[in-house]
Amino acid sequence: MAGPAKLSFSNQKGGVGKTTVGINVAGALNARGRDVLFVDLDPQGNATEGLGFREAYDEDPPSLFDVLTDPEHRDSFPDLVRDHPEMDVVPSNIDMTAAEPELTLSRRGGEQLALALETVEDDYDYVLVDCPPHLGYLTDNGLHATRNVLIPALAESTSKRALELLFDHVESLELDYDITIAERGVVANRVESTNEGRTMLDWFDEAFPDIPVWEVRKRVALQRAFSEGVSLFEYDPEVDMTETFLAIAANLDEQFGFDDAPAEATETAEVRR
């Protein structure tokens, strides 16, 4: 394949564990030998904190905000990249809270991240983008730059409306920019053994017959790993959910055409169907 595989994590609904899913998919890809760049596009900076770069969130310009809102700063994008044991990271910044109105006024407001990634993308197998829980210009930038989306969602009835809004937005974005955005899978997150949970898992299977649906059970270790600034693979690779994230990574490798998966990689957690 030409260039890296690019993938956004997006859901209009907040509080679904989108960032935790993204970090652990990145950790699983790293465990499979992939070079990963993780871009925190969320002004809240949850991934920045969850990957151990809390101090970067408050640093002086130039930041990701400047790269996205001022073409003269675009070439400084490589300077934003931070080293992490499992991946490279472009942190968010407090100034990102002002990005939406700036991008609204920009001539190519939805394309700025794609243009910035051109300065680094040859260095990576994957570029992963953590989008904000808001269907605005920042999310547009993530979806336009990656053209692929993985959807974390809670196994509860409120997810249905959130997913409808996301898909409507994706369809509009495709029409506006004459592009195609591929849905690469759904991650049912924080699953618990309740009647609503089981009902929603069945709904996910029925609603998404053509893409993978994975089930991530609620585990305290996921939050503890986040607090330590790493994925499960660095924190405690013996936790059972690592198998699920490895299965997601293996499936993404297959979807994106990587046919040289390391022999030590495992796929013991299957897609739900």
Side-chain angles (χ1 to χ4, degrees), residues 109-129:
E111 302 175 56
Q112 296 305 307
L113 181 61
L115 295 170
L117 286 174
E118 292 176 359
T119 64
V120 299
E121 60 185 19
D122 291 342
D123 298 330
Y124 301 99
D125 299 312
Y126 278 87
V127 175
L128 306 183
V129 179

Side-chain angles (χ1 to χ4, degrees), residues 45-261:
N46 290 334
T48 297
E49 181 177 355
L51 288 168
F53 296 105
R54 179 64 182 82
E55 77 290 346
Y57 185 73
D58 296 310
E59 285 188 352
D60 294 332
S63 68
L64 184 57
F65 169 81
D66 301 287
V67 167
L68 295 177
T69 61
D70 185 350
E72 293 186 2
H73 283 287
R74 189 176 297 143
D75 289 342
S76 66
F77 187 74
D79 299 331
L80 303 180
V81 177
R82 305 297 183 94
D83 293 329
H84 182 277
E86 301 173 89
M87 67 200 83
D88 283 354
V89 180
V90 174
S92 186
N93 184 272
I94 191 170
D95 290 340
M96 288 284 284
T97 56
E100 285 289 337
E102 292 288 336
L103 291 169
T104 300
L105 298 173
S106 175
R107 185 170 62 87
R108 302 175 69 182
E111 302 175 56
Q112 296 305 307
L113 181 61
L115 295 170
L117 286 174
E118 292 176 359
T119 64
V120 299
E121 60 185 19
D122 291 342
D123 298 330
Y124 301 99
D125 299 312
Y126 278 87
V127 175
L128 306 183
V129 179
D130 189 29
C131 294
H134 169 67
L135 299 177
Y137 270 91
L138 285 172
T139 294
D140 288 356
N141 268 269
L143 294 172
H144 182 278
T146 63
R147 314 286 176 95
N148 298 283
V149 60
L150 187 69
I151 307 162
L154 297 183
E156 59 182 41
S157 58
T158 56
S159 293
K160 294 181 180 180
R161 178 58 178 159
L163 293 177
E164 289 174 0
L165 292 171
L166 175 62
F167 294 138
D168 287 345
H169 190 79
V170 166
E171 184 177 354
S172 296
L173 196 64
E174 290 177 321
L175 292 173
D176 288 344
Y177 287 96
D178 192 23
I179 59 175
T180 299
I181 299 170
E183 299 153 10
R184 295 294 181 172
V186 173
V187 179
N189 193 32
R190 297 179 187 161
V191 175
E192 297 184 86
S193 297
T194 64
N195 288 336
E196 182 181 34
R198 288 188 289 272
T199 298
M200 279 302 297
L201 289 173
D202 290 339
W203 183 85
F204 285 137
D205 288 340
E206 294 172 3
F208 303 102
D210 300 322
I211 60 174
V213 178
W214 293 279
E215 179 181 339
V216 173
R217 310 291 296 184
K218 189 173 183 179
R219 296 290 184 267
V220 174
L222 284 164
Q223 183 58 47
R224 290 176 176 169
F226 184 94
S227 298
E228 292 295 323
V230 295
S231 79
L232 278 179
F233 297 88
E234 188 80 4
Y235 177 75
D236 183 0
E238 299 303 314
V239 175
D240 59 349
M241 286 300 100
T242 58
E243 296 178 356
T244 299
F245 286 110
L246 282 172
I248 295 172
N251 186 279
L252 290 174
D253 270 356
E254 181 179 356
Q255 289 193 59
F256 285 112
F258 291 98
D259 56 3
D260 57 339

